[in-house]
Amino acid sequence: MIDIGTGIAKILKTEGIDWVSTFPVCKVNNAFGKEKLPMVMMRDDRYAVALADGFSRVTSGKQIGVCTVQGGVNAAGLQVAYAGLAQAYEDNTPILCITDGVPAGNSENSEFDLTSSLKSVAKWYGYIDKPERTPEFMRKAFTMLRNGKPGPVILAVPDASATYDEHIDIYEPVKTWKSSPNYDDIKTAIGLIMDSKKPIIYAGEGVLYSDATDELLEFVELSNIPVVTTLKAKGAFPENHNLSIGVRGKHTAHFINESDLILSLGSSLSPGRFSHAIPNAINKKIIVANINEDHINKIYKSSHALVGDAKLTLIELIKEIKNTTSGKGITAKISQKEIDSEKEKDNLVYKDPLKSTDKPINPYRVYNDLMKVLDGNNSFVTHESGNTRDQLSTVYETLIPRGFLGWGNVSSLGFSLPATMAAKIAYPERDCIAVTGEAGLGYMLGNLEVPVREKIGITVVHISNGGFSGYGPGFWGDGHDPYTHEVQGYDSVDMSKVLGEMGLHSERIEEPSEIIPALNRAIEANKKGIPSYIEFICIQYPVYGDWLSGSHGE
């Protein structure tokens, strides 16, 4: 006989789960500890979810992040964790959250409806009502995590100490099953592309989750179609490639506007605050290639659809182009001259800020020097919610899948810290950097103790400028929030001293010439398992590429 908590721990190991993030108290944790399943204890429940979320994102679902949080009748932990679960749900991240379920006979004890709330932020919610069903529920959980549209799975355990016979239903790891579009749909798609005059590809995160970046590159070089990536897919296509037209900016907007056909690969095309709308969509051909049929005719009329896994879809598209063109590929419909000319318009905007010697430091100078210090093929960078997201996604050149993590559908402040910790756990050989502003730092402060305790060598780059909530008035106009933007800045608090006391390698930098040496010192500390915090005293500079707006109120 075995208790549920121990059974879950053994099953997690069978599924290749090497560690779990947590914030106590969750009743399965003691069993996990006894089974020697490592737990990374965060400083609050939302961050426990966020670390698991970050791990699944940076590995594109090849490894599943698992977390445990407090639930049950006194579901205080889940009420805090809810924001993290909502972010994972909105961004389609496959994580497993294990929590205490409300025991039979204990419902109606609180105003908070635990089950209804969790179902609203889960791809699937399970409640282990009988101990002998533990393998069944775990099998279903991993089936939902590894198949179809990704998303969080929540498993409630009302009695972790209840026992069952583990030999009756012996657990085996769950497989992934994939499907590809039928041949006629592939042929139609290639026909539409051949007939178009200015096609573009809009590549989304589905390309990353299906491990289709090599196939995307091959398809692009056969079809000669320029590639826009979504914020979350930044890096799915190498941004130093001549056919990359980036995430945002004047050149990106130009080609979306001018396109007559958009091949949406692994993207919902849902316009929001951190993605492009499709102007004049009614006069464009839109081909939706997605695993999720919900994205067909969503917001915009779909001219055609390819329902299936992005990797298998691209493999079939490549075959059809080769068959149709006798292996020669499609002649470029958009000239390299036009691409280069449009890119130069953005270069002119950021050329001087990237090399600025001004004091306080221009944040773009920090980003430029960061790109010089890091090996683009062996590093990880993510932003924070706000200006660091907007600035970095405009200019940071990403060369490899998940060399940069873009996020923002829900924009939970402070997420850059657990995301970067997760990246370091997943890729210990990489230099891993979180770039944050004032608000993000405020959210992560307590949790900065965790990488010190766990010896996770990451660097937090703080663009310290005393600005909050999108800034107030300045050379850019009235500002995003002219009445709610002032906080204590670098002239009032020296955060490098605060965080130095916590055990981080910590520096405050005011000279542009010291940016590169400081980053190098931070990374050297990281190699010894010491997390670093570098406060760069910067100006407020809310200049970045825009998102295209449309006709749906976005």
Side-chain angles (χ1 to χ4, degrees):
M1 300 295 285
I2 193 173
D3 63 79
I4 291 176
T6 301
I8 290 174
K10 289 180 178 292
I11 289 170
L12 290 176
K13 288 182 177 181
T14 300
E15 288 287 1
I17 304 303
D18 295 325
W19 61 278
V20 172
S21 61
T22 189
F23 182 76
V25 176
C26 182
K27 292 178 181 177
V28 297
N29 283 2
N30 287 343
F32 288 8
K34 291 174 183 176
E35 285 298 309
K36 295 181 169 50
L37 181 62
M39 289 177 280
V40 178
M41 186 173 68
M42 302 301 287
R43 296 296 290 256
D44 66 59
D45 308 83
R46 184 198 137 200
Y47 270 76
V49 175
L51 186 63
D53 181 345
F55 190 68
S56 289
R57 290 192 202 219
V58 300
T59 62
S60 297
K62 295 181 186 68
Q63 299 180 67
I64 299 296
V66 179
C67 63
T68 67
V69 297
Q70 180 189 27
V73 176
N74 177 25
L78 273 172
Q79 291 175 21
V80 176
Y82 190 88
L85 291 166
Q87 180 173 358
Y89 184 72
E90 178 66 25
D91 280 358
N92 302 127
T93 309
I95 65 169
L96 174 60
C97 178
I98 301 169
T99 188
D100 309 310
V102 176
N106 283 271
S107 63
E108 305 300 322
N109 275 314
S110 71
E111 298 295 330
F112 180 57
D113 189 335
L114 186 66
T115 301
S116 296
S117 67
L118 294 179
K119 285 183 176 180
S120 73
V121 290
K123 177 183 177 182
W124 181 73
Y125 169 83
Y127 178 93
I128 302 181
D129 52 2
K130 292 183 178 180
E132 60 268 26
R133 298 187 72 187
T134 299
E136 171 196 338
F137 275 90
M138 292 297 288
R139 188 179 299 116
K140 177 69 172 180
F142 275 94
T143 299
M144 299 302 284
L145 289 164
R146 293 203 172 115
N147 292 277
K149 170 188 172 182
V153 166
I154 302 173
L155 191 60
V157 183
D159 185 1
S161 62
T163 59
Y164 68 98
D165 186 345
E166 74 271 29
H167 301 295
I168 293 176
D169 184 357
I170 297 174
Y171 191 91
E172 295 179 354
V174 168
K175 295 180 180 179
T176 299
W177 289 273
K178 296 182 179 182
S179 61
S180 60
N182 69 50
Y183 174 70
D184 288 342
D185 286 339
I186 292 289
K187 190 173 181 179
T188 299
I190 294 301
L192 289 169
I193 290 169
M194 299 283 281
D195 291 341
S196 66
K197 295 179 179 179
K198 279 203 165 185
I200 64 168
I201 292 168
Y202 202 128
E205 202 174 23
V207 172
L208 293 165
Y209 275 108
S210 65
D211 193 25
T213 55
D214 289 343
E215 288 75 15
L216 175 60
L217 180 60
E218 183 179 358
F219 176 74
V220 170
E221 293 185 338
L222 267 173
S223 65
N224 282 297
I225 302 176
V227 181
V228 176
T229 58
T230 64
L231 174 63
K232 293 195 295 176
K234 184 173 167 66
F237 189 76
E239 293 182 333
N240 60 348
H241 195 284
N242 61 301
L243 289 172
S244 170
I245 49 177
V247 172
R248 60 198 296 182
K250 296 177 184 297
H251 68 289
T252 312
H254 168 83
F255 289 107
I256 294 174
N257 273 313
E258 293 292 313
S259 65
D260 67 336
L261 180 143
I262 296 175
L263 173 56
S264 172
L265 282 166
S267 167
S268 70
L269 280 186
S270 301
R273 286 189 63 196
F274 311 115
S275 60
H276 294 290
I278 308 300
N280 197 28
I282 198 69
N283 292 318
K284 300 181 192 293
K285 299 289 186 184
I286 296 177
I287 302 173
V288 175
N290 205 292
I291 198 171
N292 184 2
E293 72 279 3
D294 287 348
H295 296 314
I296 302 171
N297 286 317
K298 182 178 181 181
I299 308 296
Y300 308 113
K301 177 185 175 182
S302 300
S303 306
H304 188 56
L306 301 170
V307 179
D309 174 75
K311 188 184 188 80
L312 298 180
T313 298
L314 282 164
I315 288 170
E316 294 305 313
L317 289 171
I318 290 166
K319 287 181 184 176
E320 186 58 22
I321 285 183
K322 288 180 177 178
N323 289 338
T324 304
T325 66
S326 300
K328 297 177 182 178
I330 300 172
T331 302
K333 297 169 183 282
I334 298 174
S335 72
Q336 193 61 51
K337 182 178 179 181
E338 182 181 357
I339 293 172
D340 293 344
S341 175
E342 292 300 323
K343 283 184 176 180
E344 184 58 27
K345 293 177 182 177
D346 279 302
N347 292 338
L348 290 172
V349 174
Y350 303 104
K351 179 176 65 175
D352 290 339
L354 286 164
K355 297 178 180 179
S356 172
T357 58
D358 292 347
K359 292 174 56 181
I361 301 169
N362 190 300
Y364 281 98
R365 173 63 187 271
V366 178
Y367 308 147
N368 190 46
D369 286 0
L370 186 61
M371 286 188 278
K372 291 178 180 178
V373 168
L374 296 177
D375 177 355
N377 291 302
N378 193 32
S379 57
F380 171 89
V381 172
T382 192
H383 55 78
E384 194 44 70
S385 178
N387 281 279
T388 61
R389 171 196 57 233
D390 299 323
Q391 293 161 341
L392 282 166
S393 61
T394 299
V395 301
Y396 191 86
E397 187 176 74
T398 308
L399 306 182
I400 61 172
R402 294 310 197 203
F404 183 98
L405 182 66
W407 49 277
N409 282 10
V410 172
S411 287
S412 294
L413 281 158
F415 182 69
S416 65
L417 174 63
T420 306
M421 290 170 58
K424 191 65 176 180
I425 294 169
Y427 309 110
E429 73 284 357
R430 291 195 195 182
D431 298 324
C432 296
I433 313 292
V435 182
T436 186
E438 310 291 2
L441 184 70
Y443 270 75
M444 66 176 71
L445 273 176
N447 279 279
L448 282 165
E449 178 269 340
V450 182
V452 176
R453 170 170 29 97
E454 296 288 340
K455 297 180 173 56
I456 301 173
I458 63 167
T459 290
V460 175
V461 167
H462 177 198
I463 303 300
S464 180
N465 57 25
F468 206 58
S469 191
Y471 309 151
F475 69 83
W476 50 86
D478 289 338
H480 191 280
D481 284 273
Y483 304 105
T484 54
H485 67 91
E486 292 183 1
V487 294
Q488 285 187 318
Y490 55 79
D491 53 347
S492 301
V493 180
D494 187 338
M495 290 304 300
S496 66
K497 292 181 179 178
V498 174
L499 294 176
E501 288 296 313
M502 194 178 282
L504 289 87
H505 167 85
S506 185
E507 299 185 39
R508 170 180 274 206
I509 302 299
E510 301 184 38
E511 295 288 340
S513 61
E514 279 296 309
I515 297 172
I516 288 176
L519 289 170
N520 282 327
R521 289 190 292 270
I523 290 169
E524 281 303 310
N526 293 166
K527 291 175 181 177
K528 301 172 186 175
I530 302 169
S532 299
Y533 164 82
I534 309 296
E535 181 182 21
F536 291 105
I537 306 305
C538 292
I539 58 169
Q540 296 176 12
Y541 197 79
V543 177
Y544 38 78
D546 290 331
W547 300 114
L548 281 172
S549 59
S551 58
H552 295 274
E554 66 278 1

